[in-house]
């Protein structure tokens, strides 16, 4: 539990710390973790506004997490609720006012909102105290809702949130909303870049790149923990990786439509041109000014390398397209990178991209059955993919499936 002085000191630095996080999903995770620490809450959720509805976007629950085996993640279903006064979150979004409920099972009959018992009944959890605060932009618009559940005393018993908690969380929410609005703008810019690619290549949808980003993040996090990397280093890498993974195929904007949209197999010459999207994508980030730029360049360049060395583009000078000195094959082309010569970010995105490509329906193909996809990935361990990452992939399937469910293709 934080002391009052620690809370004030933390609030002073909060804006700086949150604005160092660039990716929207990672920021929501950080915001919710920090909010719960401020008021010693067992659980919480974030809802993001989408026109007249709230999207249940992120959640944490220590009690439920502690029931799982070590290393396993809490899986949750995403859903939406209307912005009206019938639900607690909807009421706060509608009125713009906080709501501090000591016990959701004792809501006044005259209140317009009701507590839904569905989650508690299905999970075996008991919700008591709930504090819900709007996340407002500088213009006063409702960006979303921050909901904190079950304040705890030193004996880990659920207690009501105090008036001091209200003051702290109002201040916290105003700082968090600024960071979330900035992260939403960053995500929107990335998705606009993806839509440019989508105009050229129908495979590059917003849902596809969000899934690839989510898969890559999960694979990398599990890998990094195996390497016993320090948490701060993992968090820093995750922030850059998720956005970079979304832009893995950005170089395709420079490939001719004649090749990019060809329905059949490429000729050898066409395939050589197509392979250039890796170098062209990396070239966009040559003037790297941040961790993200460096990661994005690495991902764009190496996500088609293979563990067995038969991938592309290999050891190449991005600016000149020539093989690096000492890495040219007899015909002058670059030798492919193999094994751990391939940067970890390229290895995780390679696996994430293939998993999603095979699992997804496209205008030119049906989605493969999951058993077929898993069979291919298993067979390619040690050939196309890093065998350790394949092992991690299979141990993380439930989380990967939840990411797949969260970012579904929109149907007209």
């Amino acid at each position: 539990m934080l002391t009052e002085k620690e809370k004030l000191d933390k609030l002073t630095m909060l804006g700086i710390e949150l604005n160092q996080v660039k990716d929207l999903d990672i920021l929501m995770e950080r915001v919710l973790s920090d909010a719960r620490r401020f008021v010693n809450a067992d659980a919480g959720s974030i809802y993001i506004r989408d026109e007249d509805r709230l999207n249940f976007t992120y959640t944490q629950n220590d009690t439920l997490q502690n029931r799982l085996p070590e290393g396993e993640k809490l899986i949750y279903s995403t859903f939406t609720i209307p912005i009206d006064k019938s639900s607690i979150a909807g009421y706060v979004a509608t009125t713009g006012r906080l709501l501090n409920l000591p016990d959701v099972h004792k809501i006044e009959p005259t209140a317009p909102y009701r507590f839904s018992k569905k989650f508690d009944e299905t999970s075996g959890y008991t919700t008591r105290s709930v504090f819900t605060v709007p996340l407002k932009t500088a213009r006063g618009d409702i960006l979303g809702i921050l909901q904190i559940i079950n304040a705890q005393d030193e004996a880990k018993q659920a207690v009501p949130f105090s008036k001091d908690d209200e003051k702290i969380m109002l201040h916290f929410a105003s700082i968090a909303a600024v960071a979330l609005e900035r992260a939403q703008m960053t995500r929107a810019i990335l998705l606009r870049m993806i839509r440019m690619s989508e105009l050229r290549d129908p495979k590059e949808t917003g849902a596809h790149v969000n899934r690839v980003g989510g898969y890559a993040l999960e694979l990398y996090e599990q890998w990094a923990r195996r390497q016993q990397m320090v948490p701060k280093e993992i968090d820093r890498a995750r922030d850059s990786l998720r956005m970079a993974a979304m832009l893995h195929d950005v170089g395709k904007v420079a490939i001719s439509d004649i090749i990019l949209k060809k329905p059949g197999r490429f000729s050898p010459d066409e395939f050589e041109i197509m392979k250039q999207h890796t170098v062209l994508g990396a070239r966009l980030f040559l003037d790297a000014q941040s961790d993200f730029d460096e990661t994005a360049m690495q991902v764009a360049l190496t996500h088609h390398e293979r563990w067995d060395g038969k991938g592309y583009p290999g050891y190449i000078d991005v600016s000149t397209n020539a093989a690096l000195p000492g890495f040219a094959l007899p015909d002058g082309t670059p030798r492919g990178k193999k094994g751990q010569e391939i940067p970890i970010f390229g290895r995780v995105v390679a696996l994430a991209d293939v998993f999603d490509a095979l699992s997804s329906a496209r205008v030119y193909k049906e989605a493969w059955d999951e058993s077929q996809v898993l069979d291919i990935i298993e067979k390619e361990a040690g050939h196309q993919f890093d065998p350790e990452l394949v092992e991690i992939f299979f141990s993380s399937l439930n989380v990967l499936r939840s990411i797949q469910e969260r970012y579904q293709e929109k149907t007209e």
Side-chain angles (χ1 to χ4, degrees):
M1 296 175 67
L2 296 177
T3 65
E4 291 306 309
K5 183 180 184 305
E6 287 173 334
K7 289 178 183 179
L8 291 174
D9 290 344
K10 184 72 174 173
L11 276 176
T12 303
M13 296 298 297
L14 186 65
I16 296 172
E17 292 176 1
L18 291 184
N19 277 293
Q20 290 175 344
V21 183
K22 304 296 188 294
D23 181 74
L24 179 60
D25 287 72
I26 294 174
L27 180 62
M28 286 190 290
E29 178 182 335
R30 175 67 183 275
V31 164
L32 195 51
S33 296
D34 283 353
R36 291 173 51 230
R37 281 190 66 214
F38 268 102
V39 291
N40 199 38
D42 183 50
S45 302
I46 291 179
Y47 297 77
I48 295 296
R49 182 174 190 162
D50 183 7
E51 296 181 350
D52 61 347
R53 300 190 70 82
L54 290 172
N55 293 331
F56 179 80
T57 309
Y58 196 81
T59 193
Q60 294 171 353
N61 189 304
D62 284 350
T63 294
L64 296 182
Q65 180 65 53
N66 291 336
R67 293 177 187 173
L68 299 175
E70 186 177 355
E72 191 170 322
K73 285 192 173 182
L74 183 65
I75 305 296
Y76 62 94
S77 299
T78 57
F79 59 87
T80 67
I81 59 174
I83 296 180
D84 59 30
K85 295 182 178 181
S86 63
S87 66
I88 295 171
Y91 178 87
V92 171
T94 301
T95 63
R97 298 194 299 269
L98 68 84
L99 203 55
N100 185 358
L101 301 172
D103 189 338
V104 291
H105 299 280
K106 297 178 181 179
I107 295 174
E108 292 291 334
T110 55
Y113 49 82
R114 289 289 173 266
F115 170 67
S116 172
K117 299 179 182 178
K118 184 177 179 180
F119 175 80
D120 282 10
E121 290 171 349
T122 56
S123 66
Y125 187 71
T126 301
T127 302
R128 290 293 179 188
S129 54
V130 173
F131 182 88
T132 311
V133 60
L135 297 166
K136 295 182 181 181
T137 68
R139 299 183 304 275
D141 298 327
I142 301 295
L143 178 71
I145 296 298
L146 175 62
Q147 190 168 79
I148 309 298
I149 299 167
N150 284 359
Q152 294 180 319
D153 60 18
E154 292 184 1
K156 297 284 188 181
Q157 297 300 307
V159 295
F161 292 93
S162 68
K163 289 295 182 182
D164 287 340
D165 289 339
E166 288 186 15
K167 295 174 185 176
I168 286 284
M169 290 312 298
L170 276 173
H171 195 166
F172 178 94
S174 66
I175 297 171
V178 173
L180 285 166
E181 186 176 24
R182 185 234 345 123
Q184 279 191 323
M185 290 173 63
T186 302
R187 176 66 62 83
I189 291 170
L190 287 178
L191 289 175
R192 287 190 186 101
M193 292 179 70
I194 300 304
R195 280 198 288 272
M196 283 194 298
S197 297
E198 190 177 350
L199 292 174
R200 308 289 314 287
D201 182 359
K203 297 187 292 296
E204 294 305 302
T205 66
H208 164 67
V209 297
N210 265 311
R211 289 193 299 268
V212 170
Y215 301 150
L217 206 63
E218 179 62 24
L219 294 172
Y220 171 76
E221 186 176 351
Q222 297 303 325
W223 175 87
R225 286 179 177 171
R226 287 189 176 199
Q227 311 308 308
Q228 298 183 329
M229 293 173 60
V230 296
K232 276 192 174 181
E233 187 178 346
I234 296 174
D235 286 344
R236 182 174 174 178
R238 289 169 74 236
D239 191 28
S240 297
L241 174 59
R242 197 186 191 289
M243 295 188 299
M246 292 175 68
L247 293 174
H248 63 282
D249 273 340
V250 69
K252 286 184 178 179
V253 297
I255 303 298
S256 166
D257 280 355
I258 296 173
I259 295 173
L260 202 60
K261 296 183 178 180
K262 183 178 179 180
R265 293 178 66 86
F266 295 134
S267 68
D269 287 343
E270 289 170 336
F271 185 52
E272 288 304 312
I273 294 172
M274 185 63 181
K275 291 195 300 188
Q276 283 299 302
H277 80 275
T278 55
V279 179
L280 295 169
R283 205 171 284 172
L284 291 173
F285 303 99
L286 269 176
D287 57 341
Q289 299 177 12
S290 65
D291 289 347
F292 163 69
D293 290 338
E294 292 175 2
T295 304
M297 179 177 177
Q298 196 177 94
V299 167
L301 186 65
T302 63
H303 72 281
H304 281 292
E305 300 287 359
R306 291 173 53 104
W307 186 258
D308 59 13
K310 297 178 181 178
Y312 63 87
Y315 284 96
I316 195 167
D317 185 321
V318 172
S319 58
T320 65
N321 231 25
L324 290 173
F327 292 99
L329 297 173
D331 63 359
T333 60
R335 173 174 78 76
K337 295 177 181 178
K338 61 183 177 181
Q340 295 189 12
E341 295 174 352
I342 308 165
I344 183 59
F345 294 150
R347 297 188 333 246
V348 297
V349 173
L351 179 51
D353 189 28
V354 170
F355 173 55
D356 195 66
L358 297 179
S359 302
S360 304
R362 293 288 181 259
V363 292
Y364 55 86
K365 77 171 187 70
E366 294 294 324
W368 285 26
D369 183 78
E370 186 185 73
S371 61
Q372 293 177 286
V373 176
L374 300 184
D375 186 52
I376 286 288
I377 289 174
E378 185 175 30
K379 287 178 179 176
E380 288 297 327
H383 301 288
Q384 185 170 359
F385 306 123
D386 178 342
E388 183 180 16
L389 285 178
V390 171
E391 182 183 325
I392 292 170
F393 170 89
F394 280 99
S395 70
S396 306
L397 260 180
N398 285 341
V399 178
L400 301 179
R401 287 170 180 142
S402 73
I403 294 168
Q404 194 174 50
E405 178 72 18
R406 179 177 179 182
Y407 295 111
Q408 295 189 31
E409 302 289 344
K410 291 184 178 180
T411 55
E412 299 297 333

